[in-house]
Amino acid sequence: MAKNEGQIVIKKYANRRLYNTGTSTYVTLEDLAEMVKKGEDFTVQDAKSGDDITHSVLTQIIFEQESKTGNTLLPISFLRQLITYYGDQMQMVVPSFLEHSMRAFTEQQAQMREQVTRAFGDTPLTKNLQMVEEQVRRNTEMFQQAMQMFSPFPAPAAKEGRKAEAKDIDELKEQLRALQTKLDNL
């Protein structure tokens, strides 16, 4: 059975090898990460039991990406807060809330990319940086406010949030400068 209602089935064997039944080839976790980035829908099944182990494999991909690159998308404070929800009454609400938040973030990210693409050639680099900074600030504030609604614990110190935000903004500035340099060289 190669597909299940449009989904590609990946079988994971006891030797930890992953087999893509859609293409009849062995794949790696990096291959699965690329499939996710391309929007390909798949499930991972234990080859022996047939159990759906997609969640644990996706979690493993996140862990390996963070270990390999050193760049973390999930700050320690977020992970700690997330752990507190296990066994809590709010545990049932958190997955749908996070899913909704990520969907909203993705939509805003697409809008921001479109705005930067439209404006990049027409305005100075500083204007683009200000626009990116503002979008990052709004997204960060929205996410922090949303998480505070569900948190039984007080919010982290504002100073820590500003440091993380400033670091994110500095990284975005550097990326935009690199892009501007590449465009100038063209």
Side-chain angles (χ1 to χ4, degrees), residues 10-11 16-20 23 25-32 35:
I10 309 294
K11 300 243 182 204
R16 296 190 288 180
R17 291 198 69 186
L18 298 162
Y19 184 76
N20 183 333
T23 60
T25 58
Y26 285 99
V27 294
T28 64
L29 290 175
E30 283 186 23
D31 294 329
L32 294 182
M35 290 172 68

Side-chain angles (χ1 to χ4, degrees), residues 4 47 54-56 86 93-94 97 122 125 127 156 159 163:
N4 181 15
T54 307
H55 185 273
S56 64
Y86 284 97
V93 177
V94 172
F97 169 74
D122 300 331
L125 181 60
K127 180 71 173 168
K159 186 177 181 181
K163 282 183 184 178

Side-chain angles (χ1 to χ4, degrees), residues 48-115:
K48 186 175 183 179
S49 67
D51 291 343
D52 184 344
I53 57 171
T54 307
H55 185 273
S56 64
V57 170
L58 292 176
T59 304
Q60 185 179 0
I61 290 170
I62 292 169
F63 175 76
E64 288 195 9
Q65 288 290 318
E66 292 209 349
S67 296
K68 181 172 61 173
T69 64
N71 296 329
T72 58
L73 289 178
L74 304 172
I76 290 173
S77 60
F78 174 80
L79 293 172
R80 289 177 191 219
Q81 195 170 21
L82 194 59
I83 290 169
T84 64
Y85 290 116
Y86 284 97
D88 186 85
Q89 294 174 344
M90 298 305 292
Q91 182 175 344
M92 301 302 289
V93 177
V94 172
S96 61
F97 169 74
L98 291 175
E99 197 171 331
H100 174 73
S101 296
M102 285 304 294
R103 191 173 21 253
F105 179 76
T106 301
E107 289 170 5
Q108 287 181 350
Q109 182 183 27
Q111 291 171 357
M112 185 177 80
R113 282 184 178 160
E114 184 179 311
Q115 290 172 351

